[in-house]
Amino acid sequence: MKKYFLLPFLATSMLFFAQQKQPKVGLVLSGGGAKGFAHIGVLKEIDKAGLQIDYIGGTSIGAIVGGLYAVGYSGEQIEKIILETDFVALLRDKLPRSTTPFFEKEYGEKALISFPVTKRKIGLPKAVSKGQNMLNMLLELFSETENISDFSTFQIPFFSIATDVETGGQVLLEKGSLPIALRASGSFPTLLNPVQIGDKLLIDGGVANNFPVDVMREKGVDVIIGVDVQGRLYEKEKLTSVVAILNQIVSYKMYNQRELDKNKIEVYIHPDISKYNVVDFDKKIEILKEGDKIAGEYSAILKEIELKQTRKKKRIETDKNIQKVTLSKITINGIKNYSRSYVLGKLNLIQGDRVSRNDITKRIYLLSATKNYEQITYQLKETPAGKTEIIFSLVELSKKPTLEIGVHYDALYESSVLARYMQGGVFTNNDVFSFDAILGDKLRYNLNYFVDNGFYFSYGFRSRYNRFRANTTFNNILPNSPIVNSLNIKYIDFTNQVFVQTTFDRKFALGVGLEHKKLNISTETILENDAPTVLDDNGYLNAFGYLKLDTYDQKYFVKKGYFADLGFKWYLSSSKNNGNFQDFAQAKGTLGFATTFFEKITFQNTNEAGFTLGNPSSNIFDFYLGGYNQNYINTFVSMYGFEFSELGNQSFLKSEFAFRYQFLEKNYFSFIANYARLEDNVLKDANLFKDIKSGYALGYSFDSFVGPLELKFSWSPDTKTSAILFNLGYWF
């Protein structure tokens, strides 16, 4: 409803102020998370009216929006920033996968939740996110203020409110670093880590003073315009759940104080956004529209105030700084456990580099991806000689171990729970240790230790215990035994590796090493002297090498990028050769790429090949195709349309073509076609399209919080059979 009843009051007040002095106008913006997007509609209406704001203050999202306006961004510009920002990725501290170290690309992205471990006790994280991505954005947006420590000297004098964690008291922030102050004011409990400023640990200002009208009145303003995006207390009829009652209890003080404050201001604006909550960042367009709607109802009042302003300061519109500068000097403060060369290597910065603010943000991503830093800030400073120095300030994380939990189900390993222990700095500052205990129907483990020397040679140790039972049709393992439709095999693999590796630009990894593999494979389908038939029970020693490339933008539901995994193994000896073992070699490789067009349709092509050189003493080293798992070991390869390991031979070629359509956020339809040829030597025949096996799949996938959920229907014209495939969770 339009507040025309305020016009006589305002007119009388303005007449009085006109006789005395020009009225000083203050703007107060409340906190409210995503609901704070409604503030922008009022700012646009203020711009439209030509109204001069003489002081601005806010809390949480109100502080961030108000800070942008105070330094010179227009309402339209702020709206554009909001629309262009992925707040979910921002608040989760999600980094571009291109910044992820190779170790994380290979062995990470498995867990659902992570817990810190302190003194052998499992704790809870401070929050969902460290807030580094949020800070990066603020550093970019407020670059023009980095050498200004007094907020009262901005185009519009400004203050923000935070809360002292120790006392619960209000902290007024109006000096220092504006990005840090805004990051502190918006540190929503459990969502973003608290921020240390001086001797105080600060969280969201909404806890202490979510609508700082009283602070604004102390600034000596004559007219206060207050925009309140807080909710309301509910009537007893709506208090129907524990969550609703708890929310009501914690809101008593905030909302009761609001009722007192709104009677102390001249213009009170309260958008009707009760149906939205503080984390509805995906509904920003709807909230922006509600802000525009309520602001339009106050256009006459805002214009009335503007008409009484006869002396106005010229407003200088600012924008994001996209200029490049040449770095004449690089200073790094806060170095304790890591060397200057380590930091510069991760930042990929050297003296003389020419960079923009956005370039610096991308370099910070690289350093942040190491997970060794609590907070990374920087300042560009002009030297007396007219050159530019960059000063980084780092806050290192303590080397606390973590316990990560994941869940998964698939047809081969069935139900599994991942308990992953990770710790960095075990023996050196740049090492990482991880142990995956996979509990469930098929007990497994993966152990990895890696010393990351960046661009120099790194080294490590891997250990794996893997076992499963499965029905398979690879009868060629027992050529002299009776023919059966399938064998139920018990497969146990115990593998240990030592290796050295170097990486290039976080895209390529090149490594060599030694591997000892112990295999124990048996079946009870065919018995020998009333005992299970042993297919293989040997230890094998091999030397290996690999070249890997991974530029996929995501591990699951890839939209763009390239992938390669080329490996070679030379088997040197066997523990039980009985004079029959001859050395042999195997090469296996995967090449793939993905591209997305029309924003919703992704095409992904994956090509695989494997070759055996020499004569293995056991057919267990043949390549076996079939099934759909993404975590097969050794010479097992997935292929839609066929049962697990249904196809086998000493060499193979395979191509897979996948089309995936995103019809809703995180929801996908897919069609997959794969083709393969298997021979003792697939290259001996010039006709590579001879005896091609084919399989197809149609499926639905959902990117859930526990990992991919996939339901697929597969069939093959070669076998005339079909199957329903299901898996849930991250693959491990």
Side-chain angles (χ1 to χ4, degrees), residues 43 46-47 51-53 66-75 77-78 155-156 312-318:
L43 294 180
I46 288 173
D47 289 339
L51 175 62
Q52 175 179 290
I53 302 298
L68 289 167
Y69 196 74
V71 302
Y73 288 93
S74 68
Q77 286 176 307
I78 299 171
Q155 288 197 48
I156 304 174
K312 294 181 183 179
K313 295 184 294 183
K314 185 177 180 180
R315 183 169 168 83
I316 302 171
E317 191 171 284
T318 191

Side-chain angles (χ1 to χ4, degrees), residues 66-134:
L68 289 167
Y69 196 74
V71 302
Y73 288 93
S74 68
E76 293 284 354
Q77 286 176 307
I78 299 171
E79 182 176 69
K80 184 181 179 185
I81 292 168
I82 297 300
L83 291 173
E84 292 176 347
T85 301
D86 182 349
F87 284 93
V88 174
L90 197 72
L91 295 172
R92 287 177 59 192
D93 260 353
K94 187 176 181 181
L95 298 174
R97 193 167 181 267
S98 59
T99 67
T100 304
F102 241 90
F103 183 89
E104 284 292 319
K105 287 183 179 180
E106 279 198 280
Y107 303 109
E109 303 174 83
K110 298 178 180 179
L112 167 64
I113 190 169
S114 178
F115 301 96
V117 179
T118 306
K119 297 180 180 179
R120 300 181 181 179
K121 294 183 179 179
I122 299 173
L124 292 173
K126 293 180 182 177
V128 174
S129 166
K130 297 198 304 279
Q132 182 62 53
N133 281 6
M134 173 66 77

Side-chain angles (χ1 to χ4, degrees), residues 163-171 200-201:
T163 302
D164 188 328
V165 173
E166 286 188 298
T167 66
Q170 168 184 292
V171 177
K200 298 182 185 297
L201 189 64

Side-chain angles (χ1 to χ4, degrees), residues 688-720:
L688 297 180
F689 299 98
K690 179 182 177 182
D691 299 326
I692 295 292
K693 305 296 183 182
S694 62
Y696 305 89
L698 283 172
Y700 163 78
S701 303
F702 175 64
D703 189 7
S704 76
F705 75 100
V706 299
L709 183 155
E710 296 181 293
L711 183 65
K712 295 175 181 176
F713 172 77
S714 87
W715 78 98
S716 172
D718 298 292
T719 61
K720 313 296 185 194

Side-chain angles (χ1 to χ4, degrees), residues 215-235:
V215 179
M216 181 60 74
R217 186 63 70 187
E218 292 173 359
K219 299 299 181 182
V221 299
D222 305 304
V223 176
I224 296 179
I225 301 170
V227 188
D228 178 16
V229 296
Q230 302 173 90
R232 296 181 173 90
L233 292 173
Y234 291 106
E235 296 80 12

Side-chain angles (χ1 to χ4, degrees), residues 18 23 126 171 223 278 302 369 390 410 499-500 541 588 607 673 689:
K126 293 180 182 177
V171 177
V223 176
V278 295
L302 298 176
I390 187 168
D410 63 67
F499 65 95
V500 293
L541 178 67
K588 184 174 179 289
N607 302 286
F689 299 98

